[in-house]
Amino acid sequence: MGVENFVDWLRDAARTLHDNAAYLTELDSAIGDADHGANMDRGFAAIVALLDESTFDSVDELMKKAGMTLVSKVGGASGPLYGTFFLRFGTALAGAELTPATIGEAFKAGVGGILARGKPELGDKTMYDAWAPALEAYDAAVSGGSGLKEALEAAAEAAAKGRDATVPLVARKGRASYLGERSAGHQDPGATSTTLLLESAARTLA
Amino acid sequence: MIGIVVVSHSHALATAAVGLAAEMVAEDNRPVIAVAAGLDEKTFGTDAMAVSEAIAAADSPDGVLVLLDLGSAVLSAELALEFVDPEVAGRVKLSSAPLVEGLVAAVVTASTGASLDAVVAEANRGLVAKQDHLGDSVETAAEAGPTDQVIEVVVGNEHGLHARPAARVVALVNSFDAVVTLTDLDTGRGPVDAGSLSMVATLNAQRGHRLEVGAGGPQAAEALAAINQLAAENFGDAPVSEPVVAASGSGLDVAIGPAVVVDAEVDLTGYTPGDAAAEHRRLENALGKASAELIHLRGTSPDHSGIFDAHLALVKDRTPLEAVSSAIQGGSPAIDAWKQTYDQLAATFEGLDDAYQRERAQDVRSVRDRVLRALTGALSNDTPPAGGILVVAELDAATAATIDASKTAGIAVRAAGTTGHGVIVARSRGIPLITGIGDVDVPNGATVAFDARTGSFEVEPDEDSVRTTITQRQAEREEALNQAAQPAITRDGQLIEVLVNVGSVQDAIDARGADGSGLVRTEVLFQDHAPTVDEQVERFRAIAAALQGKPITIRTWDIGGDKPLPFLPQDHEANPFLGERGIRVFRRRPELLRDQLQAIRHVATETPVHVMFPMVTTADEVAWALQELGPRPEGLQVGIMVEVPAAALRIDTITEGLDFVSIGTNDLTQYTTAADRTNTSVAALADGLDPAVLRLIDHVVRNAGVRVAVCGDLASDPQSAVLLAALGVHELSAVGPQVPLVKARLRQADLSEVDTAEVLAARDAAQVRGLL
C-alpha cells in the first residue's frame, strides 16, 4: 500500500460526504447551525481540487495539506477539528512504514489533536463519541492479529454504534449545547461524519 | 501599543464591530486592529490560517489581544497559535470578553498605551456598564488605589459623560502615573476607577452632574489639573448652549465686497452618471456627506439645532429614499432620481392647507440642494469665500446662524422684511445686512456695496466713497464701544436704559455696555433637557454675574409657535402661532413652569431679578401667573410681555399687580399686521415701523400705568430706538452687538425734536422711515 490509497480515501470520503451533505445538514439543523453538511462538502471538495492539481510523494505531506485545506475551507468548528486530525495523522506517519500498527498510531495522534482542540469528553454528544470506541475497536482488532481492512471495519462499526448512542444524549459542547435538554433525541452530526470517514477508510485503505 | 485581532464567523459583524470601536479613538491613536472573519465576505466561518495571518499583521512587541465570537472562532484562534512563530504566540492573549463591548473597551484602553494585561482586564469588564444599567450586575467595581487629592468638576456635555467623552477621560488618566477615581456627587455613585472605560461608563454621569475627582500617586496633581481642563472643555464635546461660532461680524450697517450670488439651482451639467450600482454608491456617499455637514452645523450652532435636526430627518426619510432608490434601479442617474423625488416632496408640502407645513417646503429644497451639491461635488455654501457679500433670495436662519461672521463682509437679501428669523439671527451676530434689494442684476464676483442706514445697494460702486463711509462708521462704532459703559442720556436729558437680550451665558459675557438684561430667553438656555431647579439657579446666577450683578429680566418658558421644546412635546396644531404658545402652554400642565419660578425666586434673593410671562392675552392669565409665582422675595419685579394686540389694547385693565410690561415688537408686529415674518411673500407687511404697531406702542406707554420696556427687534435698530424713546419707552433691550450703537445714537438724539404725532399719523412704514 502507499500514498495512492490515502488519495483514494480522501476522494472517496469527498464523494461520500457530498452524497450525505443534505443528511448531515439536516441533522445539524435540528441541534446546530445547519451547516455541517455544506461545510464538510466544501472542505473535501477543496481537497479534491488539491488532489487534481498536485501530486504527493508521501502520506504525511498529503495528509498535512489535506488538514490545512480543511482548516481554511470548512468554516465551522469541524474545520479546526478535522483539520487538526489530518495534520497530526500525517505528522505521525512521517517517515514511517505503513502498517496496521503505525496507522493505528496515526489515528490516535489525530484524535489526540481533536481532544486538544475541542476538549470533549465521552458523552458530550460530539464526534469524539464515535472516535473513542473506534480507536478501541481498531486496537483490539490489531492486537487480535487482524489486518488493516478488518481493523478499519471494526473501527467503523464501533463508530456507528457510538454515533447511534449520541441520540439520547444532551449536548455539552458546541452550538448544540445552547439547546440544553432540547438537544436530546437527535443524532450528533459530527459523530455521523466521523463514521462516514471511517467507513470510507475501510473501503479504500486496504 | 498592543495590537488587536477580531475573529468572527461573520466578516460583516467583525468589520462593523471594528468600525464601532474605532469611532472611540482618534485615528492616529488607534491600535492596529486586524480582522479574520468569515470564509469570504458572505460565507460564515472561521479560518485558522487567516487568524494566524491577522495575528502576524497586528503583532507588536507589546503583545496582541484576540477577541472572538464563538464556537469555531475559539478553535480556529487556538489552532492559529500553532501556526505562528512561537515567540509571537507567547505574547498573544485570547480573550473571553464579549466581542462588541470587549472590543470597544480594548481599543480605548489600548490607545492609552496600556499593557496587554491591562487591556485584557478592561475588555473582560466590558459587560459591566450594561449589566449595571440593566440591573443584572454580577461584577463588583474595580478596586482603585488610594487617593489623597480631590477636585470637583461639572459635566457640561449635552449627553453627559457618554462613551466618547468617557474614553477621553480614560485616555487622559492613563497617560499619568496616578490613580484617579470619579464619584458622581449627584447620584452618589462611585468612586470608580477613572482609568477604566467600563467603570467610567457605569457612572452614567448626566449633564449638570458634579463629579468628585480623586487622585493619588506621583502625578496626582498633574492628572487632576488635566482633568479639570478637560472638564472645562466639555470633555472634548462641542459645547451646547454657548455657540462655538461666536465670531461676530463688524457690527456695521455698511459693507463692500465681491458678490457671492447663491443660485437657487445647483449646476447639474457635467455630471456623468455610472451604472445603477455606481449611482447607488454615489448617493450613499452624498447622503453621508450631507448628514455629516448637518451634524457639524448642529454642533456649531446649538441655538438652531432644531432646524438641522429637521434637515437630518429629511436626509434619512425612508419613504422618499425608497423612491430615489427604485428610480436609480430603473436606470435614472442619482442626481435626477434625487432631484425629482425631492422636488415632488417639496411640491407636496406646498400643496398642504396648513401654512406651517407649507413652509417646510423650504427645508425640503434646502436638503435637496445640499445633497445635489454633494453629488456633483459642488462646494457647500455653508462657508462663502472670505470678504464676500452674500446675495440671497431669502435668508434662512440656518444660513444666518452658520456662516462665518468674521469672514463675511455682509449679506444682501432680495426679499423685503426685517423681522424674519434669518435677519434677526444675522443682526444678532453683528453681520452687516440689508434687506429688500429686489431683483437687481448682480453678476457673481462683481463688487457690490450697501448702506443699510440709507437703504442703498450698488453694483460696481464708487469704492473710495464706500470706504470713506466704512471708515466713518467704524470710527463711530469705536467711539460707541469706547463709550458703551456710559449711560445713554439724550441731549434733552432723558436717561434711557439699554439692556441686552441673552440666550446663553456667553451672550451675557460678550455684551458690552449693557445696563442689565431685559430678556433672558430661558427656552434657548436649556434646549435639550428639562433642567432641574438647581441647574436653572446656576445658569441664571452665571448670567447675572456676567452682567456684574445688574438687573436681569428672566422670561419664563416661551415655547410653541415656531419654538418647540424637545422635552415638552406639544400636540400638532394647524396654526401654532395662534395656538398654545408662551404662558398658554402651562395652564394645563404647570409643572415645568413651577420649577422655573422656584429657581427665579431663589436667584432673586441673591441678585436683582425680574420675571416676565410671555404671550399674555387676558387679565385672568395675569392673575393665574401671579398666583403660580406665589409670595415673592423683596425686589422681585413681575411683568408680562405685550405681544398680543388684545393685551396692548386693554393694557390699562391687564396690569393689575404688575410692576412692568415689556413689548415684544416682533410678535406684536406680525399679529397686528396678520403677516407671517417667515413667509417671504408677505414678510414686507410685517414691518415693525408700521404706524399701526407704533400706535399700539404709544397706547401702551400712555395707559400701562407701570414701567414700559421694549425687548423686540425694534429696540436693536438705533434709529427706531430713538423713536421708541421719544414715544416714552424708558427701557430698551437690544441684541448684544447693537447695545453700544443704540446707546451712542440715543446720546446724540434730542427726543423733544422727534415729532411723534407726525410719525403716528404717517400712512405707512416707509413714510415713518422718511421722518426719522
Side-chain angles (χ1 to χ4, degrees), chain B residues 127-139 189 202 204:
Chain B
L127 281 180
V128 171
K130 197 160 73 182
Q131 287 168 332
D132 190 73
H133 180 90
L134 297 175
D136 55 357
S137 180
V138 287
E139 271 202 60
R189 281 166 171 269
T202 318
N204 195 22

Side-chain angles (χ1 to χ4, degrees), chain B residues 475-518:
Chain B
E476 203 176 275
R477 185 175 158 76
E478 267 168 45
E479 172 71 10
L481 286 171
N482 288 337
Q483 301 290 317
Q486 305 302 318
I489 301 173
T490 61
R491 293 212 328 259
D492 52 329
Q494 306 263 14
L495 170 67
I496 311 294
E497 302 268 356
V498 182
L499 302 89
V500 65
N501 296 345
V502 303
S504 67
V505 178
Q506 191 66 42
D507 284 350
I509 293 168
D510 289 344
R512 294 187 60 179
D515 301 318
S517 172

Side-chain angles (χ1 to χ4, degrees), chain A residues 35 37-47 73-76, chain B residues 39 43-45:
Chain A
D35 62 3
N39 285 351
M40 293 299 284
D41 189 23
R42 180 172 53 233
F44 274 82
I47 291 178
K73 296 295 179 190
V74 171
Chain B
L39 294 189
T43 314
F44 289 164

